[in-house]
Amino acid sequence: MSHPTYPHLLEPITLGAGPDALTLRNRVVMGSMHTGLEDHPWDIGRLSEFFAERARGGVGLIITGGYAPTKRGWLKPFASEMTNRLHAMRHERVTGTVHEAGGAIALQVLHAGRYGYHPLSQSASDKKSPITPFKPSAMSTKDVDHTATAFAKSVALARKAGYDAVEIMGSEGYLINQFLASRTNDRDDQWGGSAARRMHFPVEVVRRSRELVGDDFPIVYRISLLDLVEGGQTWEEIAELALHLQAAGVTVFNTGIGWHEARVPTIITQVPRGAWRSYTARLKQVVDVPVCASNRINTPELAEEILAAGEADLVSMARPLLADPAFVAKAMDERADEINTCIACNQACLDHVFANQRASCLVNPRACHETELVLVPTMRKQAVAVVGAGPAGLAAATSAAERGFAVTLFEKSTELGGQFRLAMAVPGKEDFADTLRYFTRRLEVLGVDVRLGVEASTDDLAGFDQVIVATGVVPRMPAIPGIDHASVASYADVLSGRVVPGKRVAVIGAGGIGVDVSVWLTHTDEDLDDWMAHWGVGDPALTAGGLTEAKPRTPAREVTLIQRKTTPIGIGLGKTSGWAHRAVLKQSKVTQVRGATYDRIDDDGVHITVDGSSHVIECDTVVVCAGQDSVRGLYDALSPLVEQGEGRAGVETKVHLIGGADVAAELDAKRAIKQGTEVVAAL
Ligand code: NAP
Ligand code: SF4
């Protein structure tokens, strides 16, 4: 019987035929994502548990992070590879654990080509990528032949290791893409020259893989539907490639959008949900085998909608499964409102990986730490008070209730969320509302006693065993002469709607919030077509790579963004998203001033000195985004009581300080949620 709410998403599908055919229990694919756990043999247990938790959560097919078919295909020095029997034997632990948990898993084979962050990298040519410091060496004709065979051997080893399928990574600008595009392939041997010859390498990879693993073993090929780089493929080439690959033995097409070096954001929050679905629908018209949609799909509703519309046969979600391992189980049980939705921030996943750290998740700090950050059910039901319902307090309250403590959450305002509520007002950060929906629902389900509009006093807290103080921060108002001028407002005033700014605005402070506020101030409503036009996304049938001239934005206000530092504005933002935020500032014609000293604020505007010269930034409103100060009054008041051992009769109250109330400097939701969870895990 089909599921009443998600009949398409939760319907089984069989990939391939014959004895190796793979029947998936539903259409949800956990897309490949490098977590950093792939790279070290000693992490194999952690990696297995990471996947097993997702398998228990009901996902149809898991795809691992990328494993190189040769050392020269590494993502970074000594990165993951699948090149010998020892590797295959080690992976039996992964496949065994996932199978025991009821799941199916595919290994992704990925050759980084010129994206390899090491001096041994190779590519179709010696053209350096704009995002890596290493110039690749151009592969010889023999190298290419050897690499196509190495791909096939990795595929065969994956089968030996017990994987249910493989995915060949042919998108995001990695080696296979580098062979396909004239941008990177200027060869004149059989592996380059014409478009047909550029296709030869991926087709050989699939053909040789099929030859080694027989007719039935499922081979997923991730195809780039839109390169979003100059000199990328045309739609005609992509469609022709798909047909050749299908003939060579591809079982399923997964899809990818944009090379890593593309200057169009493809997966971060500001990309509209489901932005790329029409491209998958287009591929589905071309091929006969199943097609999997991917990129910026993060709810079961949207996934169901895409499948129901016949645009795809499966839906791949990578980060949403990092955020909530039980995504599928919750959808199945009609508990979608309990899903911890990925907010596409990249802050703890891709930003970590690009900084050579283990991936995790901003909204789920247990991701990739399943064996280390464990919320063990408590043996002693202590009374826990959490004061403050920002991200730190919400994480602490829900984690404590999950462990079985009796939890009371006090919040001074009448709404949950603290600073996070302000963030979701920023254009392109609407998804952040889902995190508050998640926490609100979790508090309900877990039976937390939530007291909104209550500023907890020391008396209110006297009877608790544990008090977790998460009283947060207030916007800092720097001591600039004239800071109390009528034109001055804090970012909180503006984002909450308490103050409506005028047409000309000066923003003081260009950290994450200064940039966000500048985007908010200049933003005008845009639909998907406008968004595509502003980023110069066109039709690959008309221009190679799908790029066209970007349509200029008409900013809603004239904004000047000021900082004291002389470094480029926005340089400290997330590695994988900061560039896009900086691009929006430019598109929105925000004037950027660095190296400023604030002299005063008066009726004329903000007086500053830059390089010894005085300037006035004429404006109607000054918005201060100069960081935050901790709110610690309650903690300071509680400390003497703790020292005196007051609390429930005979029980000493233990007080913990977390979140912005603990450290305001550069506090973000990632650190807050992690700290809130960790403090409770240690109770
Ligand atoms: P922030 O990143 O610390 O930036 C505040 C800025 O204000 C500083 O960069 C500083 O720059 C300036 N400032 C500090 N004290 C000042 C003073 N006394 N007078 C004048 N200017 C002063 O803080 P935030 O922007 O409020 O962001 C808070 C946290 O949220 C950060 O951790 C941030 O990373 C995170 N966040 C991230 C994003 C994102 O990644 N997209 C978005 C929003 C928030 P100068 O001294 O150079 O002027
Ligand atoms: Fe999603 Fe952000 Fe978590 Fe990454 S860190 S999985 S983008 S919520």
Side-chain angles (χ1 to χ4, degrees):
M1 208 180 74
S2 63
H3 191 274
T5 311
Y6 308 108
H8 299 86
L9 188 65
L10 300 179
E11 189 189 10
I13 182 171
T14 298
L15 307 180
D20 278 336
L22 174 63
T23 297
L24 305 180
R25 51 191 164 172
N26 54 59
R27 309 291 178 108
V28 180
V29 175
M30 175 174 154
S32 171
M33 211 174 129
H34 212 74
T35 63
L37 290 174
E38 301 79 4
D39 298 326
H40 311 295
W42 55 86
D43 279 332
I44 202 87
R46 291 192 180 100
L47 185 65
S48 304
E49 193 42 43
F50 166 67
F51 289 138
E53 197 162 310
R54 274 86 195 151
R56 285 192 290 274
V59 64
L61 176 67
I62 293 168
I63 302 180
T64 66
Y67 285 81
T70 68
K71 294 199 187 319
R72 301 197 70 166
W74 282 339
L75 280 161
K76 60 181 185 182
F78 307 103
S80 49
E81 59 180 79
M82 177 59 83
T83 55
N84 60 45
R85 276 164 183 264
L86 260 179
H87 294 146
M89 277 166 63
R90 191 181 303 139
H91 279 253
E92 285 172 9
R93 178 152 174 204
V94 173
T95 54
T97 315
V98 169
H99 292 153
E100 245 171 64
I105 185 162
L107 181 103
Q108 187 190 69
V109 186
L110 176 154
H111 190 302
R114 70 178 192 156
Y115 284 168
Y117 207 84
H118 55 83
L120 299 176
S121 65
Q122 285 183 310
S123 181
S125 68
D126 66 356
K127 291 185 187 172
K128 194 177 95 56
S129 98
I131 57 168
T132 35
F134 299 98
K135 190 173 161 76
S137 49
M139 294 162 95
S140 67
T141 304
K142 228 166 112 188
D143 285 336
V144 185
D145 186 65
H146 164 78
T147 306
T149 300
F151 259 99
K153 285 186 177 159
S154 291
V155 167
L157 285 168
R159 184 179 182 207
K160 210 170 180 46
Y163 282 99
D164 304 285
V166 288
E167 177 173 88
I168 292 169
M169 180 45 147
S171 69
E172 324 303 290
Y174 291 112
L175 182 72
I176 286 182
N177 260 169
Q178 293 159 27
F179 268 90
L180 285 166
S182 60
R183 175 184 182 80
T184 36
N185 184 346
D186 57 5
R187 306 176 68 91
D188 55 10
D189 60 3
Q190 71 263 41
W191 307 104
S194 64
R197 289 216 299 257
R198 292 198 302 271
M199 292 175 203
H200 190 187
F201 178 62
V203 174
E204 269 309 287
V205 165
V206 172
R207 194 188 63 74
R208 294 181 195 187
S209 300
R210 181 54 75 212
E211 212 169 78
L212 280 192
V213 293
D215 289 344
D216 306 323
F217 187 67
I219 297 179
V220 183
Y221 180 95
R222 188 153 186 207
I223 190 168
S224 179
L225 296 183
L226 191 61
D227 291 340
L228 295 176
V229 288
E230 279 164 22
Q233 300 163 94
T234 63
W235 181 256
E236 203 182 349
E237 289 166 7
I238 293 164
E240 194 185 330
L241 170 70
L243 290 174
H244 285 307
L245 291 169
Q246 181 175 271
V250 162
T251 320
V252 180
F253 282 103
N254 194 0
T255 54
I257 303 287
W259 290 26
H260 284 315
E261 69 204 63
R263 293 294 91 181
V264 177
T266 56
I267 58 168
I268 59 173
T269 323
Q270 60 164 274
V271 180
R273 282 183 179 176
W276 312 108
R277 56 192 279 188
S278 64
Y279 295 90
T280 317
R282 216 151 149 180
L283 178 68
K284 195 161 157 52
Q285 300 300 315
V286 175
V287 295
D288 302 318
V289 296
V291 168
C292 181
S294 112
N295 286 31
R296 240 355 225 130
I297 302 167
N298 61 350
T299 64
E301 292 76 21
L302 178 57
E304 173 66 22
E305 191 188 305
I306 290 169
L307 296 176
E311 295 172 9
D313 305 282
L314 299 124
V315 175
S316 166
M317 291 176 270
R319 297 171 303 164
L321 270 298
L322 206 59
D324 196 335
F327 182 101
V328 178
K330 289 176 183 175
M332 206 176 299
D333 297 347
E334 303 286 11
R335 295 191 293 127
D337 58 350
E338 286 182 53
I339 290 176
N340 195 2
T341 304
C342 162
I343 56 173
C345 64
N346 282 1
Q347 273 177 254
C349 51
L350 290 175
D351 283 352
H352 277 208
V353 173
F354 278 81
N356 233 339
Q357 296 166 3
R358 195 194 306 178
S360 189
C361 172
L362 179 144
V363 299
N364 172 22
R366 291 198 61 248
C368 301
H369 295 77
E370 285 74 12
T371 56
E372 295 139 296
L373 182 51
V374 186
L375 294 172
V376 181
T378 183
M379 306 292 282
R380 195 164 72 86
K381 190 163 180 157
Q382 302 181 61
V384 175
V386 179
V387 187
L394 288 169
T398 49
S399 301
E402 231 166 89
R403 288 198 57 196
F405 295 119
V407 183
T408 307
L409 174 62
F410 296 92
E411 167 55 46
K412 184 170 81 167
S413 90
T414 51
E415 290 175 318
L416 301 171
Q419 297 275 306
F420 207 74
R421 185 166 281 283
L422 298 175
M424 73 198 208
V426 175
K429 290 198 168 172
E430 294 82 3
D431 281 17
F432 284 39
D434 271 313
T435 303
L436 290 190
R437 183 262 308 141
Y438 163 76
F439 276 123
T440 307
R441 185 73 186 117
R442 283 301 285 161
L443 292 171
E444 258 170 46
V445 170
L446 292 163
V448 173
D449 177 2
V450 180
R451 306 206 188 153
L452 290 178
V454 177
E455 184 165 7
S457 66
T458 49
D459 286 348
D460 292 327
L461 300 170
F464 289 91
D465 301 283
Q466 308 277 349
V467 175
I468 300 174
V469 180
T471 39
V473 292
V474 285
R476 177 186 296 135
M477 297 306 267
I480 301 168
I483 194 76
D484 50 0
H485 190 268
S487 62
V488 179
S490 73
Y491 67 85
D493 291 330
V494 169
L495 293 177
S496 65
R498 285 194 296 272
V499 169
V500 178
K503 274 285 177 197
R504 295 168 313 159
V505 183
V507 177
I508 290 183
I513 292 183
V515 170
D516 275 357
V517 164
S518 300
V519 171
W520 185 94
L521 288 164
T522 50
H523 184 77
T524 51
D525 283 347
E526 59 181 359
D527 61 15
L528 179 59
D529 289 342
D530 298 328
W531 187 88
M532 294 279 189
H534 290 145
W535 283 100
V537 180
D539 184 343
L542 303 177
T543 51
L547 286 182
T548 183
E549 201 179 323
K551 182 178 149 197
R553 287 181 194 267
T554 311
R557 292 183 182 83
E558 201 181 293
V559 172
T560 305
L561 177 56
I562 315 165
Q563 72 172 19
R564 300 179 299 185
K565 286 189 282 291
T566 51
T567 48
I569 279 183
I571 199 75
L573 298 178
K575 203 167 169 68
T576 60
S577 59
W579 64 271
H581 298 304
R582 291 192 292 274
V584 175
L585 292 182
K586 226 165 154 184
Q587 291 167 7
S588 307
K589 303 176 186 68
V590 171
T591 305
Q592 303 180 23
V593 179
R594 21 182 181 142
T597 305
Y598 300 105
D599 299 324
R600 66 181 184 284
I601 301 167
D602 61 20
D603 291 349
D604 295 332
V606 183
H607 296 253
I608 56 171
T609 302
V610 181
D611 285 338
S613 335
S614 304
H615 306 264
V616 186
I617 312 291
E618 291 178 10
C619 57
D620 311 304
T621 309
V622 179
V623 184
V624 178
C625 305
Q628 295 82 16
D629 293 318
S630 300
V631 176
R632 286 230 187 131
L634 177 70
Y635 182 75
D636 292 342
L638 280 171
S639 303
L641 296 186
V642 176
E643 277 155 28
Q644 288 159 26
E646 284 193 21
R648 204 168 52 179
V651 182
E652 186 179 312
T653 302
K654 291 209 173 76
V655 182
H656 312 263
L657 183 65
I658 61 167
D662 178 19
V663 184
E666 290 177 20
L667 174 87
D668 59 18
K670 179 178 82 173
R671 192 143 58 81
I673 293 176
K674 184 166 183 276
Q675 199 184 11
T677 312
E678 283 174 348
V679 81
V680 167
L683 287 182

